Amino acid sequence: MGLGIKKGDTVAVLAGKEKGKKGRIVSVLPGKGKVIVEKINIIKRHTKPSKTHEQGGIIEKEGPIHASNVMLVCPKCGARTKTAALVQAGGGKLRVCKKCKEVID
Ligand SMILES: [Zn+2]
C-alpha cells in the first residue's frame, strides 16, 4: 500500500470542511486507505453511563479521513510534498522529499 505517509507524520488536509488544517497522523488504516489525524474530523459520540463513565455523556474522537485527502508536510522544508522512495544498498527504503530532496526517514 503506497500511501507514502505513516504514523507520526504531519499532514495538511486538502479537502473537506477542515481543508488547510494540519495535524499529526495518529493511526493509519491501510486496509481502508484511511488515516486518523490528530484533532481533525472530530466526531461526537454519545455514550451511555457505564462503569468507566458514570455519567455517560459525549466523547469526542477523531474519525478516519481518506488518505487521498491529506498530504505530507515535509519536516525538513515545510512544504506539502510527495515522497520518493530511496532504496538503500542494504535493501531498506528511505523516504525522500520530492521538493527539497532531503531524506525524511
Ligand atoms: Zn522537503
Side-chain angles (χ1 to χ4, degrees), residues 1 18 52 66 89 101:
M1 181 106 192
E18 307 205 73
T52 47
H66 205 270
K101 312 295 183 196

Side-chain angles (χ1 to χ4, degrees), residues 90-104:
K93 273 187 193 172
L94 295 173
R95 294 186 302 166
V96 178
C97 172
K98 283 193 174 176
K99 293 252 167 79
C100 67
K101 312 295 183 196
E102 290 282 335
V103 173
I104 296 169

Side-chain angles (χ1 to χ4, degrees), residues 5 10 18 21 24 27 31 41 45 48 50 73 88 91:
I5 48 179
T10 296
E18 307 205 73
K21 287 190 184 175
R24 197 171 52 87
S27 182
N41 195 26
R45 198 175 284 176
K48 290 175 183 170
S50 67
V73 176
Q88 295 179 289

Side-chain angles (χ1 to χ4, degrees), residues 4 6 10 12 23 26 28 36-37 39-40 44 54 59 64-66 71 73 81 91 94 99:
K6 58 190 186 184
T10 296
V26 290
V28 177
I36 293 174
V37 185
K39 305 259 180 8
I40 300 292
K44 287 182 181 172
E54 285 183 6
I59 290 179
I65 56 175
H66 205 270
M71 196 166 198
V73 176
T81 186
L94 295 173
K99 293 252 167 79

Side-chain angles (χ1 to χ4, degrees), residues 9 17 23 30 58 68 71 82 102:
D9 283 345
K17 63 178 162 49
I58 299 169
S68 64
M71 196 166 198
K82 290 186 173 176
E102 290 282 335

